[in-house]
Amino acid sequence: MASMTLKNINPNILKVEYAVQGPLVARAGEIEEELKRGVEKPFKSVIRANIGDAQAMGQVPITFIRQVLACISYPELIGEGNFPEDVKERAREILNSCSGGSIGSYSAPYGIDHIRRHVAEYIERRDALPANWQNVFLSAGASTAIKYCLQLFSNDTHGKKNGVLTPIPQYPLYSACYAKYGLTQVGYYLDETTNWSLSIEELERRLNEAEKRCNVRALVVINPGNPTGQVLSRNNMEDIIKFVYKHNLLLISDEVYQHNIYAEGIQFFSFRKVMMELGAPYSSIELASIMSASKGYMGECGLRGGWVELTNFHPDVQAQLYKFMSAMVSPNILGQAAIDCVAKPPLPGEPSYDLWLREKESVLASLRERAKMITDGLNAGQGFKCNIVQGAMYAFPTVILPPKAVAAAEDAKQPPDVFYAYRLLEETGICVVPGSGFGQAPGTHHIRMTILPKTDDLRTMIHSIKTFHQSFIERYT
Amino acid sequence: MASMTLKNINPNILKVEYAVQGPLVARAGEIEEELKRGVEKPFKSVIRANIGDAQAMGQVPITFIRQVLACISYPELIGEGNFPEDVKERAREILNSCSGGSIGSYSAPYGIDHIRRHVAEYIERRDALPANWQNVFLSAGASTAIKYCLQLFSNDTHGKKNGVLTPIPQYPLYSACYAKYGLTQVGYYLDETTNWSLSIEELERRLNEAEKRCNVRALVVINPGNPTGQVLSRNNMEDIIKFVYKHNLLLISDEVYQHNIYAEGIQFFSFRKVMMELGAPYSSIELASIMSASKGYMGECGLRGGWVELTNFHPDVQAQLYKFMSAMVSPNILGQAAIDCVAKPPLPGEPSYDLWLREKESVLASLRERAKMITDGLNAGQGFKCNIVQGAMYAFPTVILPPKAVAAAEDAKQPPDVFYAYRLLEETGICVVPGSGFGQAPGTHHIRMTILPKTDDLRTMIHSIKTFHQSFIERYT
């Protein structure tokens, strides 16, 4: 008899779901294998529009970051003269900040001080407000950072579970972590009719309802939005901050897409800037702001670099959090080095600046073009309603499904959007994530697709989706 | 009022302790700052003998690994011709196994298949037994791997907490994780008089005692031992496996020091090999065997590369574990690449082989020399009793303290070994970890020190410790 069975393992593990890499994505992998074996399909390759993984879709890395990584990995390259002087200088600085001068040594569990200082300087420039580097900790990607923040209050002593106000739709890392840590997910709906803004009435209502079943401890806001692609207005953010203050919550602001702003006239504000500029008493709320090297113009998902800035945390609580991290030793040094390059990119006049700027602008301009292309493409004609992709990397259109298709999905024992996404994958090779993986208003159906396929592929993809949709509708009318 | 206070955060966080980076180590950092500021001390620098961080202590990285990392970080280097052909070929292979051909993309949450296959081949060569690559998952260092294994059964549904049989002394990552996940630590004493072997009688006794307060689900064995430096005999391992079988436990074998074997006539056997060669029914026990790129001859702590091989896990449970990991996206790709180089080093006849072998042998020969030096040095004269350091990176000697010193420690409200370690640090600059951070038999006092300081530094260190000890004894006699 096995000692570990489905009946006696941690029941929270059974509950964890992560739609971005769920069974539909596994099926996409199988289809790729079938194509390799020569199985006939109505398409030649799978397009993975399910995950915000820019370099997997062909985005070219930023040269400066990669040259620095190469030099610190193999420091002999610094002496050999083939790299720009600022790359070598950066590599020397990072190595000097490592124990024993090597990336092969541990750093402190909260990261290398030298790099934490650069992050604080980045935040100061971004917000035009002072920042304290000791409130910044580095992490192996945003996912680990979010985990630490949630674990801080995940085990309640007062008999009632702790809850977190979380958008619907949400990025499923949150729901997966709640399942894992036994937190209660208190969903609040984003308003699709006002481009996925937060309604304070809705927050109040959900908080009020939830208080019977749990202690609501925190509010998660993802801005720019994942999967929804909105960028919050400053007014909306001010109202959110006032709500957080009123109810004495922790605000967890997931700001990993802060570089990914596309729509005309739209600007990203950090929650930290808005709360500080609101002034007392709102500037006293506790905030954990999360950033990553995986998104932005860098797209370095595989390096697992991230950071959190803590604002207004009680020093004893912050000390406990830092102590808590120490058993996990240190985040990987190369990810930290990538964060150093993100926080402190080349300056005008430095040898790498022109290339860095050109590469950065080129990535962002192309994403901007693709964001517009996907919205315009889906909204032309019938079948989809898609809000403007103001930021991040995703479109989250409503898919208009006829009643017969909904009935067919019921027969197949699948939610209608899952049924639709499987058909889309099998018939076109396009892998998207069904809206139910993120949550959506009852009776509505969505898909999330990234804007990351290359421009030509994206054009083909939009065309294929619309053709598929037409034929799907015809089948069920 | 703060929303997060010491009274309402996760109480498990308050309980987490990690002696290897605890307050004594923080004091070492302060002393370094004081020295920089010109404060007069009876020593010129701090020697950090507290943590198994080889490159921080000057160990030189393996060229092959670092050249591969440089090439995959900046693939232009592959074309430029300055690296050996096998380095370039390895880099090309790794890049081909990455989505989009880039280390900037996510891998599967359990790692890149190509590298998992190489790990399975390594295990096959090591054990002369077949291995299945799908039972191997890659992780961001051994710490993350251990966390996943413990989370698998950390939340009990039957009202009673789950417990883990854990050595005393143990590596405090285990106790920190138990605190975090609400597991019960069921300590069993290693027998110092038989070079820290496991006594089955002791295991039976502790299991029996513990069953009143928890469900014992697993046994942790660290071999080669941390902090104790022993290498288990094959006989002892067979008895342990029979014990695990009898009580239907999961065996978690922490084998991260499997390359670090020093003593004459001593050989490392993996638990997997021993159980398989014992045959039925013992070959059916569930085993999670853990390995890392941080120790061995590589010492690449900062890269955070590790793996686990699962043996005999129920397929449904294994599937749940793999699903569970998916929300944490992927381990960092450069750490995985380091694992690839560890699992599949250069072969005889390949351009990098000679240098790789020379570097590897040189590191291991030097560690062997230092392991002997520390045991001989401490055992010469009085004050210390130190078992032979057969493997791993640590000596864990008994420190013989006079009753007056124990009384003085009591007055200072410190355990005697902590009192001793603080005095040692303040007077010599040598930072060790007190035995109480790992656990020790009541009434005994130990310190853990690494064998990692360079040979000359280690000689000086041993001399300083013995001089300090002499003066300490004189004060308290």
Side-chain angles (χ1 to χ4, degrees), chain B residues 239-256:
Chain B
D239 291 341
I240 294 165
I241 290 164
K242 290 173 184 170
F243 170 83
V244 167
Y245 174 77
K246 178 176 164 195
H247 296 288
N248 199 28
L249 302 175
L250 166 66
L251 177 57
I252 299 176
S253 66
D254 181 336
E255 298 177 329
V256 299

Side-chain angles (χ1 to χ4, degrees), chain B residues 222-233:
Chain B
I222 309 171
N223 179 44
N226 175 7
T228 38
Q230 84 281 29
V231 179
L232 295 181
S233 73

Side-chain angles (χ1 to χ4, degrees), chain A residues 287-309:
Chain A
L287 170 70
S289 161
I290 292 149
M291 179 54 178
S292 157
S294 301
K295 312 299 174 181
Y297 59 91
M298 312 74 75
E300 293 284 12
C301 302
L303 299 180
R304 313 310 301 128
W307 81 63
V308 179
E309 186 197 20

Side-chain angles (χ1 to χ4, degrees), chain B residues 270-320:
Chain B
S270 75
F271 266 105
R272 185 173 167 281
K273 182 179 178 71
V274 176
M275 67 182 259
M276 288 305 175
E277 293 181 353
L278 261 178
Y282 306 112
S283 52
S284 69
I285 67 163
E286 288 148 274
L287 171 71
S289 159
I290 291 150
M291 179 54 178
S292 157
S294 302
K295 313 298 174 183
Y297 60 91
M298 311 75 75
E300 293 284 11
C301 302
L303 299 179
R304 313 311 301 127
W307 82 63
V308 179
E309 187 196 20
L310 304 171
T311 303
N312 292 328
F313 270 56
H314 190 290
D316 293 346
V317 171
Q318 190 161 325
Q320 286 291 328

